[in-house]
Amino acid sequence: MGEQYKYPGKELSLFETANNWKKYFASLIRKYIKNKVLEVGAGLGATTILLNNNSASEWIMLEPDEQMAKELEKKISGKQLPSNCKLMKGTLTQLPAGMKFETILYIDVLEHIKEDENELKKASEFLKEDGYLVVLAPAFQSLYSRFDEAIGHYRRYTASQLKSITPTNMELVNIQYLDSTGFFSSLANRLMLKQSYPTANQISFWDKWMIPVSRITDNILLHSFGKTILAIWKKDNNESKTGNRAH
């Protein structure tokens, strides 16, 4: 994402009401959120509201899209976002070199960044020792559809792909697939419906009926596949480690 980045997607408002899905992935991420947080690609602030319970000392919302940044400014000044929030416009390249965070979040963001390996390497430089880097992203290139293309996705990920771009000073401590039932609905859309955007009714059905099922089947299937992938890295004290271990 460059300095003049303009987000091409229009789906953020569609997914605002996907409460079951949000609660699901939030329950897996919250324990990694510590003290000073950087949220890369904050969008319209929906993820901030979801994950930020004001326990962090500071929550930096980094957003390169000018229009979205203006909306975030309004929400911060209007106290629609937690009081620990601060907006910074741009990308990692605009952050002061000395800034350090305990947690850096990429929630549905990394797939929008062409040079994803360089992005994670740069992000690791802003992490404190023992800090966490959290990535939630769409899974499996076989599911890549007109919807992915329409909202500016460069790719969808597998576990092996994310492992391969692990920064050398990071340890991969957790990686798992989520939403196993959604995998099949996405595959059906790619093969048959071929829609660029889901409808509000489709989002509602998926969130109300399929996500509760996925929360059960994901555990039964040991998170071995799904529509989404979650990866957590930890900043390693020992710079010589390769960081390719997953637990």
Side-chain angles (χ1 to χ4, degrees):
M1 291 186 290
E3 277 110 59
Q4 302 302 317
Y5 178 80
K6 181 172 175 57
Y7 181 62
K10 304 174 183 176
E11 88 290 356
L12 295 182
S13 59
L14 267 178
F15 283 87
E16 278 186 341
T17 57
N19 293 320
N20 284 327
W21 169 238
K22 290 179 178 181
K23 289 176 183 176
Y24 182 21
F25 75 74
S27 70
L28 301 171
I29 291 174
R30 279 201 183 96
K31 64 182 179 180
Y32 299 103
I33 295 175
K34 313 285 183 183
N35 198 22
K36 191 170 181 178
V37 177
L38 174 66
E39 181 188 353
V40 180
L44 296 175
T47 297
T48 313
I49 292 171
L50 175 69
L51 296 176
N52 185 355
N53 61 6
N54 238 332
S55 61
S57 62
E58 188 174 23
W59 192 288
I60 302 297
M61 306 172 73
L62 186 64
E63 177 52 52
D65 183 285
E66 184 67 29
Q67 191 56 46
M68 288 187 180
K70 288 179 181 178
E71 290 297 319
L72 291 174
E73 283 182 330
K74 290 179 184 177
K75 289 180 178 180
I76 290 172
S77 62
K79 303 188 185 303
Q80 295 173 265
L81 290 168
S83 59
N84 59 357
C85 288
K86 179 181 177 182
L87 173 66
M88 296 190 73
K89 299 177 185 177
T91 65
L92 290 181
T93 58
Q94 276 80 58
L95 292 180
M99 290 191 82
K100 296 288 183 179
F101 301 91
E102 275 84 9
T103 305
I104 298 180
L105 302 171
Y106 285 81
I107 307 300
D108 295 318
V109 170
L110 191 64
E111 64 274 13
H112 294 275
I113 300 173
K114 189 173 183 179
E115 302 294 334
D116 56 348
E117 184 172 2
N118 289 339
E119 180 74 15
L120 293 188
K121 181 180 178 182
K122 184 69 174 176
S124 72
E125 296 171 5
F126 289 99
L127 271 177
K128 293 183 178 180
E129 289 186 355
D130 296 324
Y132 291 102
L133 174 60
V134 179
V135 170
L136 187 78
F140 293 106
Q141 192 65 18
S142 59
L143 297 181
Y144 192 92
S145 65
R146 291 175 60 187
F147 175 61
D148 290 286
E149 184 179 1
I151 62 176
H153 288 178
Y154 283 101
R155 68 196 75 79
R156 301 177 70 97
Y157 290 95
T158 61
S160 61
Q161 284 174 299
L162 284 176
K163 288 177 183 178
S164 73
I165 61 173
T166 296
T168 56
N169 58 348
M170 302 287 288
E171 179 184 1
L172 183 60
V173 296
N174 187 26
I175 191 163
Q176 58 186 322
Y177 293 102
L178 308 176
D179 193 13
S180 47
T181 56
F183 176 95
F184 295 106
S185 64
S186 292
L187 184 61
N189 178 62
R190 181 182 180 278
L191 297 176
M192 293 180 286
L193 297 178
K194 301 184 184 300
Q195 292 173 244
S196 293
Y197 278 84
T199 66
N201 285 338
Q202 286 172 326
I203 295 295
S204 177
F205 179 84
W206 163 72
D207 186 62
K208 184 177 181 179
W209 300 105
M210 300 181 76
I211 292 302
V213 174
S214 279
R215 295 191 73 155
I216 298 170
T217 57
D218 287 355
N219 285 323
I220 293 172
L221 297 167
L222 302 178
H223 293 271
S224 57
F225 76 94
K227 189 177 73 172
T228 298
I229 190 166
L230 173 65
I232 315 287
W233 289 269
K234 187 176 183 180
K235 183 73 171 282
D236 207 322
N237 292 332
N238 186 347
E239 297 291 324
S240 66
K241 293 184 180 180
T242 59
N244 286 325
R245 298 192 308 276
H247 301 300

